[in-house]
Amino acid sequence: MLPGVPGAAQASVAVSTLRFCFVTTFYPPYHFGGDAIAVQRLARALVKRGHHVTVVHDVDAYLALRGGPEPVPDDGADGVEVIRLRSIAGILSPLLTQQIGGPTLHRNRYHEILDDGGYDVINFHNASLAAGPKIYSYGGSAAKIVTAHDHWLVCPTHVLWRHKREPCPSRQCFRCQLTYRRPPQLWRMTGLLD
């Protein structure tokens, strides 16, 4: 019987183990809140069900936005494999990614991880500063999923709130990015996202 379902028959289903890779900008303890926690919980839940999960995230992006002392990573006892990308160029790495819409200083490492990792599923989460939209073409024949935690794919400020004053009814992206004190993203002026 299924717990909580009176009269339901117990199903015996064989589930094969899958290899997942999550690509995200932020992951605990290098994070600011909700999206990173959601990624961590999903990763842990899949590991508990017997799957292999690798999370790739960008430490440089967190340090560029946060400043201050670096957090102490946990010991990895939850079974999730975490790859923390870091560049000797520091803030320059996420800034270049933000401008061109793809991994720059970590490009070869992403190819190595995603193209050669033997993943069944690659789940892109908040990839804005980690790899940009160009990362969606990486990963060979793996099934690819994009989980939108915010409006980044359609809004360079992530929030669809124009000039910090009103809901965004029409595009004024260049000026709006300046209102938010963010450098305009050059790749958005191309057809890259299409």
Side-chain angles (χ1 to χ4, degrees), residues 106-168:
H106 298 303
R107 179 179 41 242
N108 292 338
R109 184 71 174 121
Y110 273 117
H111 274 299
E112 178 184 300
I113 294 166
L114 299 178
D115 296 342
D116 302 332
Y119 296 107
D120 298 300
V121 178
I122 299 174
N123 192 180
F124 302 102
H125 290 272
N126 174 2
S128 59
L129 292 177
K134 281 187 183 178
I135 197 71
Y136 300 153
S137 66
Y138 291 35
S141 63
K144 297 173 190 164
I145 301 168
V146 177
T147 301
H149 295 268
D150 60 22
H151 303 286
W152 168 72
L153 284 172
V154 295
C155 175
T157 67
H158 301 243
V159 295
L160 287 175
W161 195 251
R162 188 168 64 184
H163 306 297
K164 297 184 179 182
R165 292 190 314 253
E166 61 190 2
C168 185

Side-chain angles (χ1 to χ4, degrees), residues 38-117:
V39 172
Q40 183 183 53
R41 287 181 178 168
L42 178 58
R44 287 176 172 174
L46 287 168
V47 166
K48 282 183 183 178
R49 285 159 182 79
H51 301 291
H52 175 87
V53 180
T54 300
V55 175
V56 184
H57 79 97
D58 193 307
V59 172
D60 295 327
Y62 172 80
L63 295 176
L65 296 172
R66 165 94 173 31
E70 187 169 333
V72 178
D74 62 13
D75 61 3
D78 60 5
V80 177
E81 175 188 11
V82 179
I83 299 174
R84 294 179 173 89
L85 298 180
R86 185 185 296 252
S87 166
I88 60 170
I91 190 174
L92 183 60
S93 178
L95 179 62
L96 287 171
T97 298
Q98 189 258 4
Q99 287 296 297
I100 70 160
T104 53
L105 303 180
H106 298 303
R107 179 179 41 242
N108 292 338
R109 184 71 174 121
Y110 273 117
H111 274 299
E112 178 184 300
I113 294 166
L114 299 178
D115 296 342
D116 302 332

Side-chain angles (χ1 to χ4, degrees), residues 186-194:
L186 300 176
W187 68 267
R188 289 193 186 265
M189 298 172 207
T190 71
L192 176 64
L193 196 54
D194 296 334

